[in-house]
């Protein structure tokens, strides 16, 4: 775990994606919602290159990807799709810089982690990079270097910010369990050794030695202990998918100083409970773990359950506001 393993962040932030295609409007909404812990929004509705895989593929160093009917495929040289992905990201960073003039505080940026990227990016033959250990190594190294450059650019544009890197790993559990399907769809790739998964994650997390790193997964059975050993300072997850089987590893994570980014607000349109109702499950978990209520505000940041790309703009704004109000409720009344 990095030197940032014990840190305090605001009580609420977002996950990453937002609806729509207007970067300035999205950044303005995020900055207005989270004065203490904004993030760089992603807008996949703009099309290929703005999606999570294409956006991160555009950050890779000396590896390039293009869009095929089956998805993103590694190619020999940068083409139109790489240029588009990098252009969208520049547009997002321009908007972020515009609306964060003079900002000093915490700021979160997101990129796809090495194992979800390996499960999604295809090799030349059409099979996932996950099928080739050498390709996985090259991909992780390219990603780490690309993240170093991206983080340096963010710090240049928002010099007063302390930047948290979030690695999105929704496919991590499937990678560990051998549940990622082959190109034919009839078989699955063999499970990747847990030590290799941990080692690779540690290397990529090491691309941000001067700031904290969170790993996000909105899939069931998030491997909390593995992520903590790999050096993650925080774990971001869909709170509704927790079961009592997770109690021990969550308790150990909290006691070790790992922050929990608990997704308590639904990511798609629907009725919202009152803010206190959104955190009822968090309070129940805390009591079940026997943890001191006063630790809640120090250990938990509230977020939507996952990204908000599938939500309406009006609901996305309400969901972000609900996170802030629920965090205030938790801080005011941890019992």
């Amino acid at each position: 775990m990095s030197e940032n393993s014990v840190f305090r962040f605001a009580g609420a932030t977002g996950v990453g994606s937002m609806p729509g295609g207007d970067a300035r409007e999205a950044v303005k909404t995020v900055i207005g919602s989270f004065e203490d812990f904004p993030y760089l929004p992603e807008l996949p509705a703009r099309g290929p290159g703005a999606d999570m895989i294409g956006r991160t593929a555009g950050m890779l160093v000396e590896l390039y990807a293009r869009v095929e009917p089956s998805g993103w495929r590694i190619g020999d040289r940068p083409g139109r799709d790489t240029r588009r992905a990098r252009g969208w990201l520049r547009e997002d960073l321009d908007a972020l810089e515009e609306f964060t003039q003079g900002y000093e505080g915490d700021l979160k940026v997101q990129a796809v982690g090495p194992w979800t990227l390996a499960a999604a990016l295809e090799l030349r033959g059409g099979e996932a990079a996950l099928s080739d250990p050498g390709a996985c190594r090259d991909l992780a190294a390219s990603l780490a270097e690309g993240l170093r450059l991206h983080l340096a650019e963010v710090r240049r544009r928002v010099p007063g910010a302390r930047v948290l890197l979030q690695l999105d790993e929704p496919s991590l559990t499937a990678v560990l369990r051998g549940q990622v399907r082959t190109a034919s769809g009839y078989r699955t790739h063999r499970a990747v050794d847990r030590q290799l998964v941990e080692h690779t994650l540690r290397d990529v997390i090491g691309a941000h030695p001067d700031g904290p790193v969170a790993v996000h997964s909105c899939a069931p059975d998030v491997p909390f202990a593995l992520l903590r050993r790999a050096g993650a300072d925080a774990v971001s997850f869909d709170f509704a998918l927790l079961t009592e089987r997770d109690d021990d590893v969550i308790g150990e994570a909290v006691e070790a100083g790992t922050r929990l980014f608990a997704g308590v607000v639904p990511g798609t349109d629907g009725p919202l409970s009152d803010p206190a109702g959104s955190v009822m499950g968090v309070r129940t978990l805390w009591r079940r773990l026997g943890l001191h209520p006063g630790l809640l505000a120090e250990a938990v940041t509230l977020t939507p359950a996952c990204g908000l790309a599938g939500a309406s703009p009006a609901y996305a704004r309400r969901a972000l506001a609900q996170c802030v109000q629920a965090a205030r409720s938790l801080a005011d009344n941890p019992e």
Side-chain angles (χ1 to χ4, degrees):
M1 189 168 293
S2 79
E3 62 186 25
N4 303 279
S5 58
V6 179
F7 59 88
R8 293 179 67 101
F9 278 114
T13 190
V15 172
S17 64
M18 291 284 285
D22 187 330
R24 294 183 74 254
E25 182 62 29
V27 170
K28 184 178 178 181
T29 297
V30 166
I31 298 292
S33 300
F34 302 113
E35 295 180 357
D36 299 321
F37 197 2
Y39 62 97
L40 177 64
E42 302 162 356
L43 301 172
R46 293 179 297 193
D51 60 295
M52 62 186 290
I53 299 299
R55 182 183 181 88
T56 301
M59 298 180 191
L60 297 175
V61 173
E62 297 183 358
L63 281 179
Y64 312 101
R66 65 178 186 273
V67 178
E68 297 285 344
S70 53
W72 284 89
R73 183 171 297 181
I74 295 173
D76 296 322
R77 59 184 66 85
R80 178 184 58 189
D81 298 321
T82 297
R83 290 192 295 272
R84 184 190 297 121
R86 292 175 177 175
W88 289 136
L89 184 56
R90 278 194 304 273
E91 182 179 304
D92 296 341
L93 289 170
D94 287 344
L96 181 72
E97 184 176 6
E98 176 184 351
F99 287 101
T100 54
Q101 292 295 311
Y103 176 74
E104 294 184 353
D106 297 319
L107 171 68
K108 182 166 70 68
V109 298
Q110 305 82 221
V112 176
W115 293 108
T116 295
L117 202 60
L121 281 182
E122 299 174 356
L123 300 174
R124 291 176 181 80
E127 203 56 81
L130 189 65
S131 64
D132 183 335
C136 289
R137 284 193 301 273
D138 292 345
L139 190 57
S142 175
L143 175 62
E145 185 57 31
L147 288 174
R148 289 186 188 98
L149 296 174
H150 176 56
L151 291 163
E153 178 69 5
V154 172
R155 286 192 293 266
R156 184 185 69 80
R157 289 172 177 261
V158 195
R162 178 175 67 153
V163 182
L164 176 138
L165 170 64
Q166 175 182 299
L167 296 175
D168 293 322
E169 283 283 15
S171 298
L172 182 58
T173 300
V175 167
L176 289 166
R177 292 182 172 180
Q179 295 172 338
V180 177
R181 293 202 168 275
T182 59
S184 69
Y186 295 118
R187 297 184 298 106
T188 57
H189 295 286
R190 66 175 60 186
V192 181
D193 179 78
R194 295 180 77 88
Q195 288 188 325
L196 176 59
V197 168
E198 181 183 324
H199 174 78
T200 302
L201 279 168
R202 186 180 298 112
D203 285 349
V204 175
I205 287 171
H208 190 35
D210 301 323
V213 177
V215 179
H216 167 75
S217 174
C218 50
D221 299 320
V222 176
F224 286 90
L226 184 151
L227 296 177
R228 184 163 57 86
R229 291 194 304 270
D233 300 293
V235 179
S236 173
F237 56 96
D238 181 347
F239 189 84
L241 298 179
L242 289 185
T243 70
E244 292 192 18
R245 294 196 312 272
D246 298 308
D247 281 6
D248 288 344
V249 290
I250 290 177
E252 290 168 4
V254 171
E255 290 174 351
T258 304
R259 193 168 183 92
L260 306 180
F261 283 32
V264 297
V265 176
T268 52
D269 290 45
L272 292 173
S273 66
D274 64 285
S278 294
V279 290
M280 188 181 304
V282 178
R283 291 191 178 100
T284 300
L285 170 67
W286 229 245
R287 287 194 294 269
R288 204 164 65 229
L289 294 175
L291 295 171
H292 192 280
L295 275 175
L296 267 171
E298 297 178 12
V300 177
T301 292
L302 301 180
T303 72
C306 206
L308 295 169
S312 66
Y315 176 83
R317 288 191 293 271
R318 290 200 303 273
L320 298 184
Q322 179 88 347
C323 291
V324 173
Q325 293 160 9
R328 193 171 298 130
S329 170
L330 201 60
D332 292 345
N333 183 22
E335 302 283 354

